[in-house]
């Protein structure tokens, strides 16, 4: 049976779903809300997506794409260039090393793993910012961002599962 052009385009479009969802969340995370100090503690939506797709479809969201997403986030947010890129690539690598564990367990353990990852990412970003500013900056904002990201993860995981089932299975 021959594969038609339309079937190849369909498969390519479906395979772009993880990247497209991550880009949409990156852009959604950039939307300014009229809440005092929200930008400092806005949830790390891109990090959630990288975590989920690194577990479930690492073949469709590779480290190069993750790095590019991080650079785009740095450029759009005004963060030091490379900060989010470094963080997202480190998250991607850390999750890939433990992928078998996450796939073999329940959502609860996946959430606990995400807690460790998001707190590690917050510490990494805080350390880089401290090094760049050559002084100790307060850890309040990264800590509360990590807590908010952790609290919202189940909602976004549900979205990722729906996208995964709709576009990438069957």
């Amino acid at each position: 049976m021959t594969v038609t052009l339309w079937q190849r385009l369909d498969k390519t479009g479906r395979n772009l779903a993880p990247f497209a969802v991550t880009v949409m969340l990156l852009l959604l995370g950039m939307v300014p809300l009229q809440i005092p100090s929200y930008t400092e503690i806005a949830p790390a939506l891109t990090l959630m997506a990288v975590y989920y797709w690194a577990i479930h479809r690492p073949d469709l969201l590779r480290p190069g794409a993750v790095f590019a997403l991080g650079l785009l986030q740095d450029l759009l947010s005004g963060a030091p260039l490379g900060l989010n890129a470094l963080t997202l690539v480190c998250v991607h690598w850390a999750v890939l090393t433990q992928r078998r564990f996450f796939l073999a367990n329940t959502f609860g353990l996946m959430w606990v793993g995400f807690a460790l990852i998001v707190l590690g990412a917050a510490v990494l970003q805080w350390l880089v910012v401290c090094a760049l500013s050559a002084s100790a900056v307060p850890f309040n904002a990264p800590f509360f961002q990590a807590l908010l990201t952790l609290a919202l993860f189940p909602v976004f995981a549900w979205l990722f599962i729906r996208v995964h089932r709709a576009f990438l299975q069957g």
Side-chain angles (χ1 to χ4, degrees):
M1 181 165 133
T2 62
V3 178
T4 67
L5 173 66
W6 298 115
Q7 289 171 326
R8 282 186 277 162
L9 285 174
D10 179 60
K11 183 169 177 50
T12 301
R14 289 174 184 272
N15 288 344
L16 286 173
F19 183 78
V21 167
T22 307
V23 169
M24 287 189 299
L25 288 176
L26 185 150
L27 295 173
L28 180 65
M30 295 293 128
V31 173
L33 297 179
Q34 300 303 318
I35 301 172
S37 300
Y38 174 76
T39 56
E40 297 174 10
I41 63 164
L45 303 179
T46 311
L47 186 117
M48 289 184 210
V50 167
Y51 177 80
Y52 180 86
W53 295 117
I55 292 172
H56 295 284
R57 290 308 297 264
D59 58 320
L60 299 181
L61 193 62
R62 297 195 179 271
V66 171
F67 182 78
L69 288 165
L71 282 180
L72 178 62
Q73 188 170 0
D74 290 333
L75 290 170
L76 293 176
S77 68
L81 194 60
L83 178 64
N84 287 304
L86 171 68
T87 304
L88 292 178
V89 168
C90 287
V91 164
H92 191 266
W93 172 81
V95 172
L96 283 180
T97 62
Q98 301 301 315
R99 183 172 180 258
R100 284 186 184 170
F101 172 78
F102 290 126
L103 284 174
N105 283 300
T106 64
F107 177 77
L109 283 177
M110 188 168 118
W111 198 10
V112 169
F114 183 69
L116 295 173
I117 292 290
V118 76
L119 287 172
V123 168
L124 174 65
Q125 287 189 332
W126 177 74
L127 287 172
V128 169
V129 169
C130 286
L132 290 175
S133 66
S135 66
V137 296
F139 188 66
N140 297 351
F143 178 72
F144 286 112
Q145 180 185 37
L147 287 181
L148 184 58
T149 302
L150 183 60
L152 291 175
F153 180 71
V155 174
F156 285 92
W158 178 84
L159 169 77
F160 301 141
I161 291 167
R162 299 309 248 183
V163 169
H164 193 182
R165 287 182 183 161
F167 292 104
L168 302 170
Q169 289 182 340

